[in-house]
Amino acid sequence: MHDTHLTLKPTPLCPGGPALSPIVAGCWRMAQWGLSPAERLRWIEQCLDLGVSSFDHADIYGGYTVEGLFGEALALAPALRQRLQLVSKCGIKLVSAQRPGHAIKSYDTSAAHVTASVEASLRALRTDHLDLLLIHRPDALMDAAGLADTFSRLQAAGKVRHFGVSNHSPAQLRLLHRRHPLVTNQIELSPLHLAALDDGTLDQCQELGLRPMIWSALGGGRLFTGTDPQALRVRATLEALAHAHGVSPATLAYAWILRHPSRPLPITGSQRIAAVQEAVAALSLQLPAEDWYRLWEASTGHEVA
Amino acid sequence: MHDTHLTLKPTPLCPGGPALSPIVAGCWRMAQWGLSPAERLRWIEQCLDLGVSSFDHADIYGGYTVEGLFGEALALAPALRQRLQLVSKCGIKLVSAQRPGHAIKSYDTSAAHVTASVEASLRALRTDHLDLLLIHRPDALMDAAGLADTFSRLQAAGKVRHFGVSNHSPAQLRLLHRRHPLVTNQIELSPLHLAALDDGTLDQCQELGLRPMIWSALGGGRLFTGTDPQALRVRATLEALAHAHGVSPATLAYAWILRHPSRPLPITGSQRIAAVQEAVAALSLQLPAEDWYRLWEASTGHEVA
Amino acid sequence: MHDTHLTLKPTPLCPGGPALSPIVAGCWRMAQWGLSPAERLRWIEQCLDLGVSSFDHADIYGGYTVEGLFGEALALAPALRQRLQLVSKCGIKLVSAQRPGHAIKSYDTSAAHVTASVEASLRALRTDHLDLLLIHRPDALMDAAGLADTFSRLQAAGKVRHFGVSNHSPAQLRLLHRRHPLVTNQIELSPLHLAALDDGTLDQCQELGLRPMIWSALGGGRLFTGTDPQALRVRATLEALAHAHGVSPATLAYAWILRHPSRPLPITGSQRIAAVQEAVAALSLQLPAEDWYRLWEASTGHEVA
């Protein structure tokens, strides 16, 4: 194991932006973990002990239940709120018994929906503010000026500190960014999913000085279980490199993400603290560029041009 | 039927741009309508009575004949010119008996061609100026500085008031826009043709504050006659929504266009005044976002991500 | 043959940029030419006599040998250095006996690699400076600020006068251009390879005022030897147009490149001086726009929209 080369201290997503921990704990699947409130609190505390102080949510996770599960745990130790950062998202409307008004899965970035979603997130999380709110998916019907107004009102009310987007193309991000400063684009990137490297998404992050947050850094598990040719190639390379560097394959995958010059923040997905630890361990591994390209080559199936 | 929520008054395409009616009457197929000059004049007057005061032309429509047919009708009531706006296009050269000099279908944005085309349009339309001239297709050989000069000369001579493009990518529009301010991009958009939603075209319109004009808003008729799976899905949804809102399917389709935050101006294609009326009726229907997404889902064949 | 309409005098790639000859002699394949040092010198002199004073290199050409072959010839007549411009590239690492440290073909734009590559190029070319250095391929791991620093240091040391990129997308070029002014994007363009016309690459060059350098202007030979339908269509059109204009097919192909408003600089690939001459001859032929579109149509297999 190498010396830590990336700080564990929360650092800003952009100048003036919110400081998040370099690894973000994803709560996406928390509803499936089957934990009691006390166990959830224990999990939060263990994350904090590892330096993972930022928690990623969305209104819709667990069918609109995850924020409540997290808030229930947080209520057992309210002082923790000062030591952690809460990220949530809105803009997707699921058809759900929790939201009988929704007739079809769709996007909504209207003032009414965004404001109501934030209010619901604050109640569920049992907090008075979100550190960061992201628009979950690009809404073709987004009125940029109107949404910027909504952001300003939420900010002025102290309910949301910073705003960003997720899964937005460069043109979509720019349109909103001109109306209200955004601090991140939360996107998919992994050795199995390279699109953001070439389609301008990560170029834009660097140009604007916004660090991306990364979801599905392990390919949603396909990295370890997929049986398609790409997954098999990437897994073999990952295991060889992990062995050579004396780390786990998951740590190697996170190190591959962290190697990118946009300074991404990977989001974990597991309830296992050992899995969060594997992500944190990647902060101590500066992957050589040639190793980064070995995974690129395994993923694309051909060497660079 | 709802109250009118979109004004019928002509409003500018952009700050300082030409004011066009919210529905634009497309003259594309006028040569096939088989109308006498007096009947064409009657059609123009009926459009005006509906608040449709802007007419969309191109030099090439009807094999270089439509502008002449329109001008012939206008000559019967020259005072009408004050009450209507004329949009035309140039830049495509058709192989045609009308243009014996053309050896191959190609694009041309040279000063000589654009100037000659405008002069011919003015003669045919029997007017002294165009309210708006569009470059019909992106010409790979366009010299942006040279074309901007041509625009300035036509503007100084009082022959063309404003300029725009049609079917241009964001990069192509921007290149020319930096040299001469453009007021619109006339593009294809319909429940059967969603590309402009994702490829940056409509994002750019909103960023630059240019309202798009929309051609083929009914998919060139495929919306009502197509037998491919996409057309069948969209038609079924369109009919169900039209029924629910108490409007015709065509009105619903226009309302789907008008719902976009770029504030598009759809162009009709029919000689039937009832069809123009169906477009105007869409101004009175504010489509709920969920209904907009129902058509998106029918078009793509899957729900949103 | 027409009068010369494009100057043979070196002209800047952009305001303040390096002046290169309008045709650039590509040295890519020099290692395969089997020439003695004196013959190579003779070739250089013949290029200069034709007004082709700029020579295109890369560290990796000929498996890291071409720059040395060129420098060996130049050493026979060192005064020539004043009369020619040297362009080289770096950023690709080949697995090669010449570079035992490379374990995999990969990209590298680190300060260490770029600086070492420039030093090696200067030694091999037996010169004290490069007129222009290009980053050969987009490196996903490029740290734009760091690379800009490297450029500034090389410039301050007098080792490289100007910088550019090759095969970079608009987003990739822009990211680096904001940190250090670039003077060109060296890209592929030919009647067989039209991508740069539509993907924003050439629009960006024009917007930023950077003239592109063009590699594979003859489709890497496929223009004359390919047996696929596209190559057959293009060749037939090329031969007919060449016949009509009284030039060789190769000259016609170069004229097709030179016709683009971005004012491209094509790079030759042959050791035959007659082949370089065919490129120079294209400077005297202003291809009519319709002929340009005939080749476009032959390439795509359909007329313009």
Side-chain angles (χ1 to χ4, degrees):
Chain A
M1 191 70 81
H2 306 232
D3 286 346
T4 299
H5 76 102
L6 291 167
T7 177
L8 261 165
K9 237 188 88 189
T11 45
L13 287 181
C14 65
L20 299 192
S21 55
I23 304 294
V24 172
C27 302
W28 177 34
R29 293 178 174 136
M30 187 175 262
Q32 302 161 37
W33 295 352
L35 301 181
S36 70
E39 288 167 333
R40 271 176 253 136
L41 175 61
R42 178 81 191 109
W43 181 83
I44 295 169
E45 290 170 336
Q46 288 176 311
C47 286
L48 286 168
D49 288 347
L50 288 172
V52 174
S53 60
S54 303
F55 295 84
D56 186 69
H57 288 273
D59 56 349
I60 60 170
Y61 287 166
Y64 297 100
T65 65
V66 162
E67 290 178 322
L69 295 172
F70 191 96
E72 190 182 18
L74 194 55
L76 301 178
L80 281 188
R81 179 65 185 91
Q82 310 303 321
R83 296 174 46 206
L84 53 83
Q85 299 82 43
L86 293 176
V87 181
S88 195
K89 312 183 194 76
C90 69
I92 301 178
K93 291 163 90 164
L94 295 184
V95 177
S96 159
Q98 309 289 321
R99 295 292 186 277
H102 299 178
I104 176 181
K105 185 173 180 189
S106 67
Y107 301 150
D108 191 342
T109 49
S110 67
H113 177 70
V114 170
T115 305
S117 181
V118 166
E119 298 288 0
S121 289
L122 295 179
R123 275 193 307 274
L125 289 164
R126 308 202 195 182
T127 184
D128 62 344
H129 73 280
L130 297 175
D131 295 278
L132 175 58
L133 176 72
L134 309 180
I135 299 300
H136 209 151
R137 291 272 176 187
D139 172 20
L141 300 183
M142 174 187 79
D143 167 22
L147 183 52
D149 280 353
T150 302
F151 286 174
S152 294
R153 275 197 300 273
L154 289 167
Q155 205 164 34
K159 293 179 177 172
V160 182
R161 299 268 166 92
H162 299 275
F163 299 88
V165 293
S166 185
N167 307 304
H168 277 49
S169 74
Q172 291 161 344
L173 186 151
R174 189 170 54 225
L175 177 58
L176 185 55
H177 189 59
R178 295 225 168 173
R179 298 288 189 160
H180 191 101
L182 305 173
V183 303
T184 192
N185 194 1
Q186 185 177 118
I187 59 170
E188 184 175 8
L189 179 69
S190 79
L192 289 174
H193 191 91
L194 308 177
L197 297 173
D198 296 316
D199 66 10
T201 300
L202 287 169
D203 297 314
Q204 180 186 50
C205 285
Q206 293 171 87
E207 190 185 330
L208 298 179
L210 311 181
R211 295 168 62 199
M213 301 177 72
I214 305 299
W215 61 269
S216 213
L218 304 180
R222 188 159 72 88
L223 214 45
F224 303 120
T225 59
T227 56
D228 57 291
Q230 186 197 28
L232 294 175
R233 286 195 309 267
V234 169
R235 193 181 315 142
T237 302
L238 201 60
E239 287 173 356
L241 291 173
H243 182 75
H245 287 284
V247 299
S248 74
T251 296
L252 207 290
Y254 284 112
W256 186 89
I257 298 284
L258 291 165
R259 184 63 176 77
H260 194 270
S262 60
R263 303 172 58 216
L265 296 89
I267 304 167
T268 61
S270 175
Q271 77 179 104
R272 294 183 305 108
I273 282 298
V276 179
Q277 219 154 4
E278 284 180 293
V280 171
L283 298 167
S284 304
L285 173 62
Q286 178 144 28
L287 198 67
E290 284 194 336
D291 289 344
W292 192 92
Y293 276 106
R294 278 185 202 281
L295 276 166
W296 187 95
E297 182 177 301
S299 180
T300 61
H302 59 77
E303 63 179 17
V304 299
Chain B
M1 190 73 80
H2 306 233
D3 286 344
T4 299
H5 75 102
L6 289 167
T7 177
L8 261 165
K9 239 189 87 190
T11 45
L13 287 180
C14 65
L20 298 191
S21 54
I23 303 295
V24 173
C27 301
W28 178 34
R29 292 177 173 140
M30 187 176 262
Q32 302 160 38
W33 295 354
L35 300 182
S36 69
E39 287 167 334
R40 270 174 253 138
L41 175 62
R42 178 79 192 112
W43 181 82
I44 294 170
E45 288 169 337
Q46 287 176 313
C47 286
L48 286 168
D49 288 347
L50 288 171
V52 175
S53 60
S54 302
F55 295 84
D56 186 67
H57 287 273
D59 56 348
I60 59 170
Y61 287 167
Y64 297 101
T65 66
V66 162
E67 290 178 322
L69 294 173
F70 191 95
E72 191 181 16
L74 193 54
L76 301 178
L80 282 188
R81 179 65 184 91
Q82 309 304 321
R83 296 173 47 204
L84 53 81
Q85 299 83 43
L86 294 176
V87 181
S88 195
K89 313 185 192 76
C90 69
I92 302 179
K93 291 162 89 164
L94 296 184
V95 176
S96 160
Q98 310 288 322
R99 296 290 187 277
H102 301 178
I104 177 182
K105 186 175 180 187
S106 67
Y107 301 151
D108 190 344
T109 49
S110 66
H113 177 70
V114 170
T115 305
S117 181
V118 166
E119 298 288 0
S121 291
L122 295 180
R123 272 194 307 274
L125 289 164
R126 308 205 193 178
T127 184
D128 62 344
H129 74 280
L130 297 175
D131 294 279
L132 176 57
L133 176 73
L134 310 179
I135 299 299
H136 209 150
R137 291 272 175 187
D139 173 19
L141 300 183
M142 176 186 78
D143 166 24
L147 183 53
D149 281 352
T150 303
F151 286 173
S152 294
R153 275 198 300 272
L154 288 167
Q155 206 164 34
K159 292 178 179 172
V160 181
R161 300 266 166 92
H162 299 275
F163 299 88
V165 294
S166 185
N167 307 303
H168 277 50
S169 75
Q172 291 161 345
L173 186 152
R174 190 170 53 225
L175 177 58
L176 185 55
H177 189 59
R178 297 225 169 172
R179 299 289 188 157
H180 191 100
L182 304 173
V183 302
T184 193
N185 194 1
Q186 185 177 117
I187 59 169
E188 185 175 8
L189 179 69
S190 79
L192 290 173
H193 191 91
L194 308 176
L197 297 172
D198 297 317
D199 66 10
T201 299
L202 286 169
D203 298 314
Q204 179 186 50
C205 284
Q206 293 172 87
E207 188 184 332
L208 298 179
L210 311 181
R211 295 168 63 200
M213 300 175 73
I214 305 299
W215 60 269
S216 213
L218 304 181
R222 188 159 73 89
L223 214 46
F224 302 120
T225 59
T227 56
D228 57 292
Q230 186 196 29
L232 293 176
R233 286 195 310 265
V234 170
R235 192 180 316 143
T237 302
L238 200 60
E239 288 173 354
L241 291 173
H243 182 76
H245 287 284
V247 299
S248 75
T251 295
L252 207 290
Y254 283 112
W256 186 89
I257 299 284
L258 290 166
R259 185 64 176 78
H260 194 270
S262 61
R263 301 172 59 219
L265 297 89
I267 303 168
T268 61
S270 174
Q271 76 179 104
R272 293 184 307 107
I273 282 299
V276 179
Q277 217 153 6
E278 284 181 294
V280 171
L283 298 167
S284 304
L285 173 63
Q286 178 142 28
L287 198 68
E290 284 195 336
D291 289 344
W292 192 92
Y293 275 107
R294 279 185 204 280
L295 275 166
W296 187 95
E297 183 178 302
S299 180
T300 62
H302 58 78
E303 63 179 18
V304 298
Chain C
M1 191 68 83
H2 306 233
D3 287 345
T4 300
H5 75 102
L6 290 168
T7 177
L8 261 165
K9 240 189 86 190
T11 45
L13 287 181
C14 65
L20 299 191
S21 54
I23 303 295
V24 172
C27 301
W28 178 33
R29 293 176 173 140
M30 187 175 260
Q32 302 161 39
W33 295 353
L35 301 181
S36 70
E39 288 167 334
R40 271 175 253 136
L41 175 61
R42 178 80 192 111
W43 181 82
I44 295 170
E45 289 169 335
Q46 288 178 311
C47 286
L48 286 169
D49 289 346
L50 288 172
V52 175
S53 60
S54 302
F55 294 85
D56 186 69
H57 286 273
D59 57 348
I60 59 170
Y61 287 167
Y64 296 100
T65 66
V66 162
E67 291 178 321
L69 295 172
F70 191 95
E72 191 182 15
L74 194 54
L76 301 177
L80 282 189
R81 179 65 184 91
Q82 309 305 319
R83 295 173 48 204
L84 53 81
Q85 299 83 44
L86 294 176
V87 181
S88 196
K89 314 184 192 75
C90 69
I92 302 177
K93 292 164 89 165
L94 297 183
V95 177
S96 159
Q98 309 288 323
R99 296 290 186 279
H102 300 178
I104 176 182
K105 185 174 180 187
S106 67
Y107 300 151
D108 191 343
T109 49
S110 67
H113 177 70
V114 170
T115 305
S117 181
V118 166
E119 298 288 0
S121 290
L122 296 179
R123 274 194 306 274
L125 289 163
R126 309 206 194 177
T127 184
D128 63 345
H129 73 281
L130 297 175
D131 295 278
L132 176 58
L133 176 73
L134 310 179
I135 299 300
H136 209 150
R137 291 272 175 187
D139 172 20
L141 300 184
M142 176 187 78
D143 167 22
L147 183 52
D149 280 352
T150 303
F151 286 174
S152 295
R153 276 197 300 274
L154 289 166
Q155 205 164 34
K159 292 178 178 172
V160 181
R161 300 268 166 92
H162 299 276
F163 299 88
V165 294
S166 186
N167 308 304
H168 277 50
S169 75
Q172 292 161 344
L173 186 152
R174 189 170 53 225
L175 178 58
L176 185 55
H177 188 59
R178 296 225 168 173
R179 298 290 189 160
H180 190 99
L182 305 173
V183 302
T184 193
N185 194 1
Q186 185 177 116
I187 59 169
E188 184 175 8
L189 179 69
S190 79
L192 290 174
H193 191 90
L194 308 177
L197 297 173
D198 296 316
D199 66 8
T201 300
L202 286 169
D203 296 315
Q204 180 185 51
C205 284
Q206 293 172 86
E207 189 183 332
L208 298 178
L210 312 180
R211 295 168 63 200
M213 300 177 73
I214 305 300
W215 60 269
S216 213
L218 304 181
R222 189 160 71 89
L223 214 45
F224 303 120
T225 59
T227 56
D228 57 292
Q230 186 195 30
L232 294 175
R233 285 195 311 266
V234 169
R235 192 181 315 142
T237 302
L238 200 61
E239 287 174 353
L241 291 173
H243 182 76
H245 286 284
V247 300
S248 74
T251 295
L252 207 290
Y254 284 112
W256 186 90
I257 299 285
L258 290 167
R259 184 65 177 75
H260 194 270
S262 60
R263 301 172 59 216
L265 297 89
I267 303 168
T268 61
S270 174
Q271 76 180 105
R272 294 184 306 110
I273 282 299
V276 179
Q277 218 154 6
E278 283 181 293
V280 171
L283 298 167
S284 304
L285 173 62
Q286 177 143 30
L287 198 67
E290 285 194 335
D291 289 345
W292 191 93
Y293 275 106
R294 278 184 203 282
L295 276 166
W296 187 95
E297 183 178 301
S299 180
T300 61
H302 58 76
E303 61 180 17
V304 298

